[in-house]
Amino acid sequence: MTSAKTRREFFKWMGWTGGCVGLAGCLDADREPADPGPIETPYPRPNILWLSCEDTGPHLGCYGDPHAHTPTLDALAAQGVLYQNAFAVTGVCAPTRSSIITGLYPTTLGTHHMRAGGEGVDRSVMPKIPARIRAFPEFLRHAGYYCTNNAKQDYNFRAPEGTWDESSGRAHWKNRPNPNQPFFAVFNYTGTHEGSIRLDDAGHAERTARLTDDQRQDPDALPLPPYWPDTPVVRKQWAKYYELVTAMDYWVADRLRELDEAGLAEETIVFFWADHGPGLPRAKRWCYDSGTRIPLIVRIPARFRLGTQGIGGTVETELISSVDFAPTVLNLAGLPIPSTIQGRAFLGPNVPAKRRYVFQARDRMDERYDVIRAVRDTRYRYVRNYEPYKPYFQHVQTAEADPVMAELRRLHAAGQLAPEAEQFMADTKPIEELYDLAVDPHEVHNVAEDPRYAMILQKMRAAHVGWMLATRDLGLIPEPELVAGEERYGTRYDMGLALDREHRRRDLFYLASIAGRPNLTHVSRLTDALRHSDPAFRYWGAIGLGNLGTVAVPALQFLTVAAQDASPVVRVAAARALAKLGRTDEALEILTTELRGPQEWVRLHAAIVLDEMGSDARPAVDALRHALNDRDNKYVVRIANHALNTLLGTNHQVR
């Protein structure tokens, strides 16, 4: 058995020694103040306008990009504040939007998986949030604001009743019944979404019809990130993205013109932001700057400025996270910030100390699981891969439809990728990554093992583990057990609180950390985990033993027992381990049974293992064909289809 001393040594290595040491530097704003009254502000309540766009990085002229044509946003930045270091909490929309609307991290709420409702023909239930956690526009409405959303929600949970006065494609601040009523209005631009980059030439021409000839891009003139191959196909997609950003700039001009024509420009604080980075490979869905660094511009009319806040033309370098948007709006409106909110207000009265770090997470992206956490300060990025045994680019159907992804696959197969791109085609990942953005802005040179960066690595590692523990990160609990925990505790958020009360979180963190890439010294600890009362521990024990492969043969009898576990996801993890130990028939019997079982996310886990088994899964062809009819969860269908195409040499397409 692994001793308590070993665990202490592990946490000392991780830079976390107990309690919440250094929490102010890790979390910055996870606070429990007494509920304040209304905040005194020297101005009446402003209107607040949010202009959001999808899948867009800081590829704007005002951010110093010489190839961008964004005159409206450049002018907005000249009138307001441009934030150089603004970041999304994830590299994908739904988890990020759950964070934006609540001011809590998705990993705390249990909304961290992309499309947590499964999106089948028969829609499954999305995560619930506690009644005491409210979408922040409700607080504005109670204070007299007219709140509209046009029109995207996509919060990974059902918006509580009372969130909006109106949320639809017709919602507009102009519809408020009293023209003197203050408003909070959101408009979202979808034309920069990854699907738009993939439009054919006719569709792209229609989407960018307002561009002038001098706003068109020459694909050959654009510099490419080094993690992409330099081919005409890639260049064309990159040029299309830039032109879509220009089309978005026209849309921003339309929204600002509406304010001007109504005489409200000097009464309205304007935010412009994006939900995450560009919808291209190794950007969207990832925790690097390419996926999480976003543009953020805030224009504050003179009458609403406090001190030096909002002075036109200001470039601000402080770290901002999208989890900070909600408390900032409440603060600007003079409203108290609920104690449950984890973000920090960066504008308005009495702002707290600036962040030392921002944090990001990657979990299930559509049909594939990959637990990754990241920490960013103003110079360095630390990435922790909790499933390093998985490839960077697992087959995700939506991402695979990208022409740039097709070029990466093609040139990788031909052995023609440059090293900077080839490293992300690897079948496994390092446990830790560290990047010095001052000299490596594209994050392609991992210095985690460079002794010159040892102190930086330790500091960032400590920040990461401190944040995971302090925010009650639910990412190490397998999704089927999140569903079960929600049934037991009422919500996933409350499940996280229960884990803390029962003092299990640190031990689970330790177990998952060694299970990702275990060695012989961990066999006893992983075997012990199979007998734990908590199925999440049993799951990671089985995963770790599977990762050891034939070295784990002494634990075979325990895996055989785990194959009959009360938790179906533990049974699937045990089957995976049995398959890696050569017990293929036993594994297939379990996996095909679970693939037909009643729990959708267990079915997804079973399908993934069968897909990973390759030719050994051939006896499961009939079960995989049956899974194509899954009505609850389109991701089960996608994995089953990919497995069948691999086994049968077909190219069948599914939704």
Side-chain angles (χ1 to χ4, degrees), residues 584-585 588-589 592 596 610 613-624 644 647:
T584 305
D585 291 344
L588 288 173
E589 181 178 357
T592 54
R596 295 174 181 266
L610 287 168
M613 287 174 65
S615 59
D616 285 345
R618 191 168 298 277
V621 163
D622 287 344
L624 289 164
L644 287 168
L647 289 168

Side-chain angles (χ1 to χ4, degrees), residues 53-227:
C53 63
E54 302 188 28
D55 300 24
T56 302
H59 301 102
L60 312 176
C62 51
Y63 276 86
D65 191 322
H67 302 280
H69 297 291
T70 52
T72 302
L73 288 167
D74 297 349
L76 186 69
Q79 298 161 5
V81 180
L82 181 148
Y83 290 87
Q84 283 278 16
N85 290 313
F87 295 87
V89 297
T90 74
V92 74
C93 60
T96 290
R97 288 176 183 273
S98 73
S99 181
I100 288 171
I101 201 67
T102 61
L104 280 83
Y105 290 103
T107 47
T108 302
L109 284 173
T111 55
H112 48 290
H113 293 304
M114 179 59 180
R115 297 284 180 263
E119 290 201 328
V121 178
D122 299 330
R123 291 292 180 95
S124 54
V125 178
M126 290 193 288
K128 302 179 182 68
I129 61 171
R132 63 190 182 279
I133 303 294
R134 310 305 293 175
F136 80 88
E138 184 174 344
F139 300 116
L140 293 167
R141 291 188 66 223
H142 288 168
Y145 273 80
Y146 181 75
C147 297
T148 62
N149 179 54
N150 187 331
K152 186 169 184 174
Q153 294 191 10
D154 204 13
Y155 305 139
N156 250 355
F157 59 83
R158 305 288 181 195
E161 186 176 352
T163 299
W164 300 106
D165 285 287
E166 184 177 4
S167 180
S168 73
R170 298 179 300 277
H172 202 291
W173 51 263
K174 292 181 179 179
N175 300 335
R176 65 198 191 283
N178 179 351
N180 295 317
Q181 183 179 9
F183 63 79
F184 171 65
V186 180
F187 293 88
N188 183 69
Y189 185 76
T190 62
T192 45
H193 187 268
E194 65 181 323
S196 296
I197 306 176
R198 301 173 194 169
L199 290 171
D200 60 20
D201 290 347
H204 180 74
E206 181 179 354
R207 188 62 55 83
T208 60
R210 297 173 74 176
L211 272 65
T212 59
D213 288 345
D214 63 340
Q215 291 174 332
R216 296 291 174 181
Q217 295 287 345
D218 176 3
D220 292 332
L222 290 172
L224 292 175
Y227 44 78

Side-chain angles (χ1 to χ4, degrees), residues 182-365:
F183 63 79
F184 171 65
V186 180
F187 293 88
N188 183 69
Y189 185 76
T190 62
T192 45
H193 187 268
E194 65 181 323
S196 296
I197 306 176
R198 301 173 194 169
L199 290 171
D200 60 20
D201 290 347
H204 180 74
E206 181 179 354
R207 188 62 55 83
T208 60
R210 297 173 74 176
L211 272 65
T212 59
D213 288 345
D214 63 340
Q215 291 174 332
R216 296 291 174 181
Q217 295 287 345
D218 176 3
D220 292 332
L222 290 172
L224 292 175
Y227 44 78
W228 293 340
D230 189 348
T231 71
V233 170
V234 174
R235 287 189 166 279
K236 181 177 181 179
Q237 296 306 108
W238 196 219
K240 287 169 69 176
Y241 162 73
Y242 266 86
E243 291 183 358
L244 291 169
V245 171
T246 301
M248 178 267 292
D249 190 79
Y250 276 95
W251 172 84
V252 172
D254 294 339
R255 303 287 77 77
L256 295 179
R257 188 178 304 111
E258 291 174 338
L259 276 184
D260 290 336
E261 291 173 351
L264 293 174
E266 294 304 314
E267 309 294 326
T268 306
I269 298 174
V270 177
F271 285 68
F272 166 79
W273 52 269
D275 57 357
H276 52 74
L280 290 158
R282 212 287 199 155
K284 183 174 182 176
R285 300 180 179 87
W286 291 95
C287 291
Y288 303 107
D289 269 24
S290 51
T292 63
R293 187 169 173 236
I294 56 173
L296 173 63
I297 301 169
V298 182
R299 185 181 72 186
I300 305 178
R303 66 183 302 202
F304 301 124
R305 295 174 187 165
L306 294 179
T308 60
Q309 291 181 11
I311 295 176
T314 300
V315 175
E316 177 58 68
T317 59
E318 73 167 298
L319 290 162
I320 304 294
S321 171
S322 56
V323 76
D324 300 333
F325 292 178
T328 298
V329 168
L330 293 176
N331 206 40
L332 285 168
L335 301 180
I337 299 171
S339 60
T340 51
I341 281 184
Q342 294 171 320
R344 60 170 289 276
F346 56 88
L347 289 169
N350 304 317
V351 295
K354 294 181 179 181
R355 286 179 168 274
R356 290 173 57 192
Y357 307 103
V358 291
F359 304 90
Q360 288 98 23
R362 172 182 165 100
D363 293 277
R364 178 173 53 73
M365 292 294 163

